[in-house]
Amino acid sequence: MIELELPEPDGKSVTVGPHSIHYIDMGSGRPTVFLHGGGPGCNGWTDFGTVAETFAQNRRVILMDMLQYGHSSKEPFVAPRWSYHAKIIAQALDAIGIENADFVCNSIGGSAALALAAERPDLVGTLVLTGSEPVAEGAVPLTPELGHAGITAWPNYYADEGPTKAKLLDIMAQLEWTGAENIPSWTFDLRWELSCQADLIALGADWSAGGGRGIPQDLSHHLPLVTARTLFLWGDRDAFLTADYALSLTRKVEGSSLYVMANGPHHMEEERPAEYAAVVSAFLDN
């Protein structure tokens, strides 16, 4: 790993129904909401801390911990997964006082943002999404072996003896970065801490309809309703989904674009921060 420290700033919380949603608020300018991915221990800072200061130079950066992640509360819910997350994000933004924002998202954060863009278009300006799987059609992993590793990552992590650092390192190195040597130590340490929270362990790792993490939801009917300018920013070494899948999404979201980063992993915002920030900034500011 790369020995590096990047302490997580103090955040704030808003109450949304029975939930508490945590966020970090940095910079000033156009509100830009960053939504993290779905790996064990992921939150706004673990996924976007590396680039947060860059974007905060001319934007108001909101790093939001989605429900059941990071420092947000972990109540179970039974409702269509991405629509429910979108509703909670919308209500959190209403509570913060943000009427419209751009969104920069990784993985599950992108699926939630697409649901939001379809259901609350008034809230969404421009969208940038990386490694998201909003629809099942054409969803092909980089290799069958990595596809199996991705599907079983969560249940295996919390199974048997429960979370271990060795399991977390394997998930991050195999599925999210291009190797353990490229992972910053601060990211790993915070991911480990957040993945071991008692309320998260109590929630469990069941992603089926009855597991409390929402009913699995395909957004095929949502995508044609998205009118926000949208960029699918993909790494050609994304373990979960090939760039061909991202290209298929551009055919479902009218007017959207695709940028493929050579040797880009699932978490390119952390492993390739300078190139990632340059591409995203150019799209947002155009």
Side-chain angles (χ1 to χ4, degrees):
M1 282 190 283
I2 302 170
E3 292 300 321
L4 183 67
E5 295 298 323
L6 191 61
E8 184 178 24
D10 292 335
K12 306 174 183 178
S13 292
V14 290
T15 299
V16 177
H19 311 306
S20 175
I21 299 300
H22 177 271
Y23 66 100
I24 295 169
D25 195 339
M26 307 170 59
S28 61
R30 168 74 176 158
T32 308
V33 178
F34 290 75
L35 298 176
H36 55 81
C42 280
N43 83 330
W45 190 251
T46 64
D47 283 24
F48 293 104
T50 302
V51 295
E53 288 287 356
T54 299
F55 288 101
Q57 291 175 13
N58 58 9
R59 288 177 170 266
R60 182 183 179 187
V61 169
I62 305 291
L63 305 175
M64 186 177 293
D65 291 359
M66 292 169 59
L67 175 64
Q68 301 181 342
Y69 282 87
H71 305 290
S72 292
S73 57
K74 310 298 190 297
E75 296 83 13
F77 66 95
V78 180
R81 181 175 295 151
W82 307 128
S83 290
Y84 191 81
H85 278 295
K87 181 178 77 170
I88 299 305
I89 292 164
Q91 291 177 354
L93 292 177
D94 290 343
I96 296 169
I98 294 176
E99 297 180 352
N100 183 272
D102 296 330
F103 286 77
V104 179
C105 314
N106 179 268
S107 194
I108 68 163
S111 295
L114 284 167
L116 182 66
E119 296 173 7
R120 284 287 306 273
D122 57 299
L123 276 176
V124 181
T126 298
L127 273 172
V128 179
L129 305 99
T130 298
S132 304
E133 187 181 344
V135 300
E137 181 184 1
V140 177
L142 192 61
T143 69
E145 294 77 16
L146 288 172
H148 177 74
I151 291 171
T152 58
W154 263 85
N156 287 347
Y157 187 65
Y158 288 100
D160 301 324
E161 76 276 28
T164 68
K165 290 186 175 181
K167 287 182 184 179
L168 182 60
L169 184 61
D170 185 58
I171 289 171
M172 294 174 69
Q174 182 182 25
L175 296 172
E176 300 172 353
W177 272 259
T178 56
E181 68 277 7
N182 297 316
I183 299 172
S185 58
W186 74 266
T187 309
F188 179 84
D189 292 342
L190 184 55
R191 289 273 300 264
W192 169 248
E193 175 187 339
L194 293 175
S195 73
C196 293
Q197 295 175 97
D199 54 359
L200 180 60
I201 292 174
L203 180 63
D206 182 1
W207 286 73
S208 69
R213 294 181 177 276
I215 300 168
Q217 183 181 15
D218 187 290
L219 295 178
S220 295
H221 297 296
H222 282 68
L223 298 190
L225 303 176
V226 175
T227 57
R229 281 181 67 243
T230 302
L231 173 67
F232 294 99
L233 171 53
W234 231 256
D236 69 359
R237 294 185 62 182
D238 191 302
F240 293 96
L241 298 158
T242 65
D244 285 340
Y245 174 76
L247 181 61
S248 74
L249 294 180
T250 67
R251 301 186 181 109
K252 296 177 173 68
V253 178
E254 186 174 355
S256 60
S257 303
L258 171 64
Y259 182 99
V260 179
M261 185 183 294
N263 298 314
H266 190 63
H267 279 261
M268 67 179 79
E269 73 279 2
E270 297 181 88
E271 188 168 325
R272 306 279 293 279
E275 184 177 352
Y276 176 88
V279 173
V280 173
S281 294
F283 187 77
L284 292 179
D285 296 340
N286 185 354

